[in-house]
């Protein structure tokens, strides 16, 4: 049976948004599978072909081996017997080769594969993806503030960032992220979640991931205890920690020793109050060495992180203080 | 507060300067969705918006949360387990 494309008008999107606003702050997609399938399908569809499209980074032509330009990608929300999904195709490319381990498992086989097992379209049904993730011990969830800032707002294809990222920083969403990991939960709204977190998900990773999430959550709770709204000055190190937790929750990075090392350094920096959670000076410049710290964490060479990351983190702290005005 | 923000636009200093203790969070909430405890309906001025966006780019230029931190990997085929195949068939 063919898929039926669905056009979602701005008015219909507003209705969806209103209903979404009434959902709990964090809620399993399985609690209302059809509604959240539509939300997720819409989130993915909106990103495809834009600078926010993380799937396109990994999409190659199956015949030529060439990278498919994201401008060639087209996506539509589809309906199949009352189940909502998203179909992605590439103009001028009849054979798609997604180079992400585990992504093929999430494809709807009946509507993605043609003759000779070639992939002509990428069709995902979030309801099915949610259940596949559950087989691997993960609960896919909606986090309302993030959905509002991504699927339903703050989305501008011309921008190189999501406005939601600003909220992650200002609201110290690293705390929320650690809580999600501790509970073996993954948010599922867009191409990043699909490609980087759900594809290739493996149950054997959860004991370590959830333990690290719980430990970090507890560190954050102690650090921010009694602090209502941390200033950006005090949010930089937690943000870096949250970002590396996100990295480690990507199946391709489960075993990254260099990331784990830098996570431990950041936890130690918070526990020893290298930056006090109640300190509130002006921060006049983002510490440049953060970039080097993240690069060290993302290095394939754990020895490099062990050698240099401690010194770089000390520089980050020094830069924070140097670029702060009382 | 507004003068401070407008000065930031001209001076190229980031939004992070807003974090001066009592920086008005409603400014961010007005623009970024208002999911804090006291969301404000106030619209932002053009200057406030520009300053926040410029600073936002600065903040995220070097370190992006929520990006794939790995390279493409060639995958030839992936066999579906009977359980997963059944899940796919379950919607028709």
């Amino acid at each position: 049976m063919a898929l039926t494309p669905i056009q979602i008008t701005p008015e219909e999107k507003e209705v969806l948004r209103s209903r979404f606003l009434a959902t709990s702050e964090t809620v399993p997609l399985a609690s209302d599978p059809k509604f959240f399938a539509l939300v997720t399908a819409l989130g993915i569809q909106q990103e495809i072909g834009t600078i926010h499209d993380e799937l396109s980074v990994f999409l190659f032509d199956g015949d030529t081996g060439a990278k498919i330009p994201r401008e060639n990608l087209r996506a539509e929300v589809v309906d199949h017997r009352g189940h909502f999904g998203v179909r992605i195709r590439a103009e001028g490319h009849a054979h798609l080769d997604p180079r992400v381990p585990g992504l093929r498992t999430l494809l709807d086989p009946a509507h993605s594969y043609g003759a000779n097992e070639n992939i002509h379209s990428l069709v995902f049904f979030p309801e099915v993806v949610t259940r596949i993730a559950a087989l691997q011990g993960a609960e896919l969830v909606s986090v309302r503030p993030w959905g509002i800032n991504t699927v339903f707002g703050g989305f501008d294809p011309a921008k190189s960032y999501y406005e939601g990222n600003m909220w992650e920083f200002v609201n110290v969403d690293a705390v929320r992220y650690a809580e999600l990991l501790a509970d073996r939960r993954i948010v599922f709204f867009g191409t990043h979640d699909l490609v980087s977190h759900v594809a290739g998900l493996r149950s054997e990773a959860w004991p370590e991931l959830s333990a690290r999430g719980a430990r970090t959550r507890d560190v954050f709770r102690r650090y921010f205890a009694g602090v209502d709204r941390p200033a950006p000055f005090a949010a930089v190190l937690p943000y870096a920690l949250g970002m590396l937790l996100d990295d480690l929750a990507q199946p391709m990075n489960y075993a990254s020793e260099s990331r784990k090392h830098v996570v431990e350094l950041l936890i130690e920096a918070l526990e020893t109050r290298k930056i006090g959670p109640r300190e509130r000076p002006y921060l006049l410049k983002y510490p440049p060495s953060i970039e080097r710290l993240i690069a060290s964490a993302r290095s394939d060479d754990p020895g490099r992180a062990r050698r240099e990351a401690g010194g770089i983190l000390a520089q980050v702290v020094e830069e924070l203080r140097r670029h702060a005005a009382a | 507060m507004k003068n401070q923000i407008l000065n930031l636009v001209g001076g190229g200093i980031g939004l992070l300067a807003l974090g001066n203790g009592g920086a008005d969070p409603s400014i961010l909430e007005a623009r970024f969705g208002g999911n804090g405890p006291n969301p404000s309906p106030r619209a932002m001025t053009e200057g406030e918006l520009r300053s926040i966006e410029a600073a936002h780019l600065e903040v995220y230029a070097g370190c992006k949360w929520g990006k794939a931190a790995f390279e493409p990997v060639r995958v030839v085929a992936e066999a579906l387990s009977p359980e997963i195949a059944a899940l796919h068939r379950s919607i028709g």
Side-chain angles (χ1 to χ4, degrees):
Chain A
M1 186 175 171
L3 302 174
T4 306
I6 295 176
Q7 292 286 340
I8 298 175
T9 66
E11 293 76 20
E12 289 168 334
K13 188 174 172 184
E14 187 52 37
V15 170
L16 278 176
R17 182 178 183 274
S18 297
R19 183 170 166 190
F20 186 77
L21 279 170
T23 61
S24 300
E25 184 153 315
T26 301
V27 60
L29 303 188
S31 67
D32 192 348
K34 290 196 190 309
F35 173 67
F36 284 117
L38 183 54
V39 171
T40 299
L42 177 62
I44 293 172
Q45 180 262 324
Q46 288 180 144
E47 290 182 348
I48 294 296
T50 74
I51 49 183
H52 307 289
D53 180 355
E54 197 154 305
L55 178 63
S56 70
V57 174
F58 299 91
L59 203 52
F60 291 73
D61 185 294
D63 294 320
T64 66
K67 175 86 176 52
I68 297 177
R70 68 166 183 250
E71 294 77 15
N72 291 16
L73 299 184
R74 303 287 178 268
E76 54 197 349
V77 176
V78 294
D79 175 17
H80 180 61
R81 297 178 177 171
H83 300 279
F84 296 111
V86 59
R87 173 168 58 191
I88 299 149
R89 292 183 280 202
E91 281 187 1
H93 303 271
H95 179 188
L96 309 181
D97 176 16
R99 296 189 179 178
V100 182
L103 196 75
R104 283 168 170 77
T105 303
L106 307 178
L107 289 175
D108 180 72
H111 298 100
S112 301
Y113 288 89
N116 303 320
E117 294 298 301
N118 283 352
I119 299 171
H120 54 72
S121 310
L122 306 175
V123 177
F124 302 98
F125 288 100
E127 285 177 70
V128 174
V129 172
T130 299
R131 291 157 71 186
I132 292 172
L135 290 176
Q136 295 299 330
E139 185 172 49
L140 300 191
V141 297
S142 160
V143 175
R144 191 184 60 224
W146 293 351
I148 289 299
N149 282 323
T150 54
V151 181
F152 292 111
F155 183 86
D156 182 344
K159 291 177 181 171
S160 63
Y161 56 90
Y162 259 145
E163 288 175 0
N165 285 144
M166 193 65 218
W167 267 116
E168 284 164 358
F169 182 81
V170 172
N171 285 341
V172 197
D173 266 338
V175 181
R176 191 197 303 272
Y177 198 80
E179 290 169 349
L180 290 175
L181 273 189
D183 295 337
R184 304 186 178 208
R185 290 176 144 184
I186 294 174
V187 67
F188 185 36
F189 282 143
T191 54
H192 168 70
D193 310 317
L194 176 73
V195 168
S196 296
H197 292 293
V198 182
L201 193 62
R202 297 193 300 278
S203 59
E204 63 265 27
W206 275 117
E208 186 178 342
L209 276 178
S210 62
R212 185 174 292 108
R215 176 159 171 257
T216 310
R217 174 201 63 200
D218 294 344
V219 167
F220 281 146
R221 285 178 180 170
R222 286 193 294 274
Y223 186 71
F224 289 121
V227 181
D228 186 26
R229 284 183 180 274
F233 180 78
V236 171
L237 297 184
Y239 182 83
L241 181 48
M243 190 163 54
L244 291 178
L245 286 183
D246 185 281
D247 269 24
L248 281 166
Q250 300 180 18
M252 294 292 284
N253 301 321
Y254 282 163
S256 170
E257 292 301 325
S258 50
R259 287 175 176 85
K260 292 175 190 175
H261 177 69
V262 177
V263 161
E264 289 304 315
L265 291 177
L266 284 163
I267 285 176
E268 185 189 357
L270 295 181
E271 291 279 66
T272 57
R273 305 296 190 266
K274 298 289 187 213
I275 296 294
R278 295 175 189 278
E279 293 187 66
R280 308 188 71 86
Y282 270 6
L283 185 59
L284 302 174
K285 185 178 172 61
Y286 204 68
S289 292
I290 275 282
E291 201 170 335
R292 291 172 53 226
L293 184 69
I294 298 300
S296 183
R298 288 178 172 167
S299 162
D300 291 334
D301 174 14
R304 173 184 160 189
R306 278 194 292 273
R307 284 192 304 274
E308 69 181 20
I312 296 173
L313 180 54
Q315 278 182 274
V316 168
V317 171
E318 187 273 326
E319 287 167 0
L320 273 168
R321 299 213 174 276
R322 181 152 40 95
H323 297 307
Chain B
M1 186 65 201
K2 182 179 289 187
N3 286 340
Q4 181 188 351
I5 292 172
L6 294 176
N7 287 339
L8 296 179
V9 176
I13 300 171
L15 162 72
L16 296 172
L18 291 172
N20 179 30
D24 181 2
S26 68
I27 290 174
L28 295 175
E29 286 161 355
R31 174 61 182 161
F32 291 108
N35 62 347
N38 298 298
S40 163
R42 184 175 74 77
M44 295 183 70
T45 67
E46 185 67 20
E48 288 168 347
L49 181 59
R50 279 205 312 274
S51 72
I52 284 179
E53 292 186 343
H56 193 177
L57 285 172
E58 180 188 337
V59 169
Y60 294 98
C63 50
K64 292 183 173 61
W65 186 348
K67 291 287 180 188
F70 57 93
E71 299 298 318
V73 175
R74 191 83 191 270
V75 181
V76 178
E78 287 173 340
L80 296 183
S81 69
E83 209 168 8
I84 290 177
L87 285 178
H88 283 302
R89 283 196 304 273
S90 69
I91 64 164

